[in-house]
Amino acid sequence: MALFGNAHTIDPVAAQQDYARLLGHDERVHAAYLLIRDTILFTDRRLVLIDKQGLTGKKVEYHSIPYKSITHFAVETAGTFDLDAELKIWISGTPAPIQKTFTKGVDIYEVQAILTQFVAR
């Protein structure tokens, strides 16, 4: 399903190892998702969006979003004919949300629970 541009779950332990250089001391990855070449990490401190750019993907942009900057979020579940679930996150000072699409195989309720756990602190 990654070929269709939708996110799918990847092992948080593997993501912890793969992106160790990005993480702070004792920061832990709780969930991770892959979107073709891009990655979304939910850590215990922040949301990290890893955006590989260009044809080769050698140029990478890292977005670090502290959970306290998230003003609200929404999830849209997959339907019978719509196989995608969507996550929208609004960041303070930014009018348009960040939008990510997940395959039907991803438990969007789990994604919502992770955000709730960290945003509602």
Side-chain angles (χ1 to χ4, degrees):
M1 289 299 285
L3 294 176
F4 296 108
N6 298 328
H8 65 275
T9 305
I10 58 175
D11 180 29
V13 174
Q16 180 86 30
Q17 294 171 350
D18 292 345
Y19 297 103
R21 295 177 57 195
L22 295 177
L23 303 174
H25 180 69
D26 291 333
E27 185 173 11
R28 298 285 171 238
V29 175
H30 284 265
Y33 300 91
L34 183 65
L35 175 59
I36 300 180
R37 299 184 310 170
D38 300 341
T39 305
I40 305 165
L41 304 177
F42 291 90
T43 79
D44 55 350
R45 299 180 189 170
R46 62 197 165 122
L47 176 65
V48 181
L49 305 175
I50 303 161
D51 180 17
K52 292 187 179 180
Q53 301 175 354
L55 294 174
T56 64
K58 290 187 179 195
K59 182 177 180 181
V60 182
E61 185 173 38
Y62 300 95
H63 295 267
S64 178
I65 303 167
Y67 291 117
K68 66 182 179 182
S69 298
I70 298 174
T71 58
H72 69 283
F73 59 89
V75 295
E76 181 180 304
T77 61
T80 303
F81 299 108
D82 179 14
L83 301 178
D84 303 332
E86 292 186 8
L87 170 65
K88 295 178 185 176
I89 300 173
W90 285 264
I91 308 300
S92 61
T94 307
I98 295 169
Q99 294 182 273
K100 297 295 175 184
T101 304
F102 296 80
T103 62
K104 193 172 185 178
V106 171
D107 184 356
I108 196 68
Y109 296 107
E110 177 182 296
V111 174
Q112 178 176 321
I114 292 167
L115 276 171
T116 300
Q117 177 184 354
F118 295 118
V119 172
R121 286 185 177 176

